[in-house]
Amino acid sequence: MSKLDDADIESRYPDTNNFIRSITSVKRLSLCIRSLNAEELNNLKLCPCDTNWSKLLARLLEKSPSLRELEICLNDDHKDTCVDPPLVSLENELNPVPECMRSSLETFKWKGIHGSQKEVVDVVKYILRNACCLETAAVLSQSTPETEDKCKMMIQELLHSFLSSATCQLVLE
């Protein structure tokens, strides 16, 4: 598919690696994946620059029972183009709590926060409150002089959060 300009794909079980390699030249893509099955996913790094990233996060948490490491990291080259989308409430979206939160998620890291303080705090609190096996949780705000006060307030609120895991090391910067 090296010369493909348009693609309208509907699939139940895509081979993700081959699929991504095959659409490198696509200019317009319509994609419907009916069954997201990420049972073998152990490590997820997700860039929150798209308006639907938190919905994708909710689905991936739901469908990844073996997830051990989750990193939300705003790519440096996306900082100027990303939007501050409204985040979905994981509390409302994920009922019951996903299996990975109850049995396997050990590491959570959020680096390069953008968006409203309340929305970010809600996502982080959900993970801290529900990830029973969490060993390390790090929120690295990378504040600028303009956002320093907002980041300090967010860190103070997170310091008082309930941790589901008694052994979790919480790192807030």
Side-chain angles (χ1 to χ4, degrees):
M1 288 194 259
S2 62
K3 301 289 183 191
L4 190 62
D5 280 343
D6 291 293
D8 186 357
I9 300 169
E10 188 169 322
S11 176
R12 286 195 182 271
Y13 305 103
D15 177 345
T16 307
N17 290 333
N18 286 332
F19 172 72
I20 296 298
R21 275 191 297 257
S22 69
I23 61 166
T24 57
S25 70
V26 172
K27 294 178 183 171
R28 288 175 296 283
L29 176 64
S30 173
L31 179 63
C32 176
I33 300 174
R34 293 191 179 210
S35 177
L36 176 61
N37 187 354
E39 288 184 13
E40 295 181 22
L41 184 64
N42 290 320
N43 186 311
L44 172 63
K45 184 175 181 181
L46 185 62
C47 180
C49 65
D50 182 71
T51 56
N52 292 314
W53 81 269
S54 58
K55 288 182 181 182
L56 178 60
L57 172 63
R59 295 293 75 81
L60 286 167
L61 290 174
E62 203 171 48
K63 301 292 184 179
S64 305
S66 302
L67 188 66
R68 295 171 50 109
E69 296 180 25
L70 171 61
E71 181 176 353
I72 300 170
C73 181
L74 183 60
N75 293 344
D76 288 337
D77 59 338
H78 295 178
K79 289 180 181 178
D80 294 335
T81 59
C82 71
V83 294
D84 286 341
L87 300 174
V88 299
S89 167
L90 294 182
E91 196 76 48
N92 295 335
E93 243 353 83
L94 297 171
N95 191 6
V97 173
E99 178 65 29
C100 67
M101 301 292 253
R102 295 190 310 262
S103 66
S104 64
L105 188 65
E106 297 173 348
T107 304
F108 169 66
K109 182 177 181 181
W110 192 331
K111 182 179 170 190
I113 293 173
H114 77 288
S116 84
Q117 177 182 336
K118 181 193 179 324
E119 292 165 335
V120 169
V121 167
D122 286 350
V123 170
V124 174
K125 280 184 170 182
Y126 177 85
I127 291 171
L128 295 177
R129 188 174 48 250
N130 291 293
C132 302
C133 302
L134 206 57
E135 295 172 1
T136 305
V139 179
L140 310 172
S141 63
Q142 298 176 323
S143 65
T144 62
E146 298 84 34
T147 62
E148 189 172 345
D149 289 339
K150 175 179 140 178
C151 289
K152 284 180 182 177
M153 289 173 38
M154 181 179 62
I155 287 171
Q156 285 301 313
E157 187 171 349
L158 290 173
L159 280 173
H160 301 290
S161 297
F162 171 77
L163 295 171
S164 178
S165 171
T167 60
C168 181
Q169 178 184 358
L170 184 59
V171 177
L172 304 170
E173 293 179 5

